[in-house]
Amino acid sequence: MAEVTIMKIGSILIIPIQTELHNSAAVQVQQDIISNIEQAGVRGLLIDVSKLAVVDSFLGRLIGDTAAMARVMGCQTVVVGLQPEVAITLMELGMHLEGVYTALNTETGLELLNKVIGNRAGEIETEPSAGDEGV
Amino acid sequence: MKGFKQMEAKSIPSIEIASTEEIVAVRQKVRKLASDMGFGAVDQTRIATAVSELARNIYQYAGKGEVTISSLEGDRRGIQIVCEDSGPGIADIELAMTDGYSTVKSLGLGLPGARRLMDEFEIESEPGKGTRVTITKWL
């Protein structure tokens, strides 16, 4: 299941969803994220959906559930890069992504995430590490 | 569709929905047609999302079914999608159209959400026989 790459930078997992996911692939990604959180030190998730042209109620729910699972494991989630059309459609659909932080892009998402997980300025972990393949 | 003198419909071959891969495929097809017809980016996303919800309902409740996408070329242009299955049907359509109602622990936004995203929404269902949902967006 190599459809989604999960990158770990410091205490943050970055998950850029690059392809339209069907059910089993989406559920697999959720499991991969959760088992990754188990690794020591992961306190933040950044899910990048900027490549997604459609976020339906199934995927919206999956993101919300993943964030809720992460939260009970002590991990905060920021969803970044919702396309304007997708944002409009989600609201009309009735999905409000409650309980999930959102940001415009990866950069502001990382700032927000570092703030909510309490990394002090100066300690912000944006130094590319071995796992960073360029976001 | 009353009041329109001429309504010609051009359909692309029906797409069978029997797995979730086909849900992704059908929404890409409908977006392509909507884009070719001249729908804007927001409407393309609304239409693709509505179809995704209905195709997922087919898969979830009936196991398999069919989606037929047509362009309506007449006095008024639009895109029409028919989603039908021979599944268990819906006993109480009014209840099924309520936000948050679901028999499978989903969010229950599929039918009411698809109705909000489209201009026209028609549902016919008979328990034990199946369900047909017809949705239309005008250009």
Side-chain angles (χ1 to χ4, degrees):
Chain A
M1 210 47 85
E3 287 182 71
V4 175
T5 311
I6 298 178
M7 294 176 281
K8 183 170 178 292
I9 303 176
S11 58
I12 292 174
L13 288 185
I14 298 182
I15 304 107
I17 303 179
Q18 305 275 5
T19 54
E20 306 262 317
L21 296 172
H22 54 83
N23 284 31
S24 53
V27 171
Q28 183 63 45
V29 171
Q30 183 182 51
Q31 286 170 3
D32 288 350
I33 292 171
I34 298 306
S35 54
N36 264 282
I37 292 174
E38 269 193 300
Q39 292 175 11
V42 173
R43 287 155 62 218
L45 291 185
L46 186 137
I47 303 177
D48 181 356
V49 296
S50 59
K51 295 287 191 296
L52 294 184
V54 170
V55 177
D56 62 4
S57 67
F58 170 79
L59 193 57
R61 181 192 185 198
L62 195 91
I63 292 171
D65 284 355
T66 306
M69 288 175 195
R71 192 161 50 242
V72 297
M73 295 175 80
C75 189
Q76 301 297 325
T77 302
V78 177
V79 174
V80 305
L82 274 171
Q83 293 179 16
E85 304 82 40
V86 174
I88 292 169
T89 302
L90 272 178
M91 292 308 116
E92 289 176 356
L93 197 57
M95 292 257 6
H96 299 114
L97 289 181
E98 279 148 7
V100 181
Y101 291 102
T102 52
L104 209 50
N105 54 41
T106 303
E107 193 180 357
T108 53
L110 274 177
E111 274 172 34
L112 175 61
L113 200 49
N114 277 313
K115 225 174 270 175
V116 296
I117 66 179
N119 282 347
R120 277 175 293 152
E123 282 182 355
I124 289 178
E125 286 155 314
T126 49
E127 284 293 309
S129 68
D132 184 18
E133 321 217 329
V135 181
Chain B
M1 274 180 254
K2 276 173 243 145
F4 295 103
K5 279 175 276 173
Q6 285 234 291
M7 189 60 74
E8 292 166 37
K10 273 189 266 174
S11 302
I12 58 176
S14 297
I15 301 154
E16 195 177 341
I17 303 292
S19 76
T20 63
E21 281 86 342
E22 281 139 6
I23 300 174
V24 175
V26 77
R27 68 189 188 208
Q28 286 167 349
K29 282 208 172 101
V30 77
R31 179 188 285 274
K32 171 81 170 57
L33 180 62
S35 163
D36 290 348
M37 287 181 71
F39 280 98
V42 179
D43 274 343
Q44 287 175 34
T45 304
R46 287 187 176 116
I47 297 163
T49 307
V51 169
S52 188
E53 297 293 336
L54 298 179
R56 197 176 297 283
N57 276 357
I58 290 177
Y59 174 74
Q60 190 114 45
Y61 294 94
K64 60 186 171 64
E66 243 179 35
V67 176
T68 309
I69 306 166
S70 313
S71 64
L72 304 179
E73 310 282 350
D75 290 354
R76 200 173 177 192
R77 299 183 64 222
I79 189 167
Q80 186 169 71
I81 304 104
V82 179
C83 303
E84 51 195 330
D85 65 61
S86 311
I90 301 169
D92 187 338
I93 289 179
E94 204 182 323
L95 191 58
M97 291 303 300
T98 310
D99 269 329
Y101 177 78
S102 174
T103 55
V104 293
K105 292 187 183 164
S106 69
L107 291 176
L109 294 174
L111 290 177
R115 177 161 68 178
R116 280 192 291 270
L117 292 171
M118 301 297 286
D119 293 327
E120 317 263 348
F121 181 100
E122 196 188 327
I123 182 165
E124 304 153 76
S125 186
E126 202 178 322
K129 291 267 174 66
T131 303
R132 181 194 290 134
V133 181
T134 305
I135 53 177
T136 309
K137 191 90 181 167
W138 300 113
L139 200 57

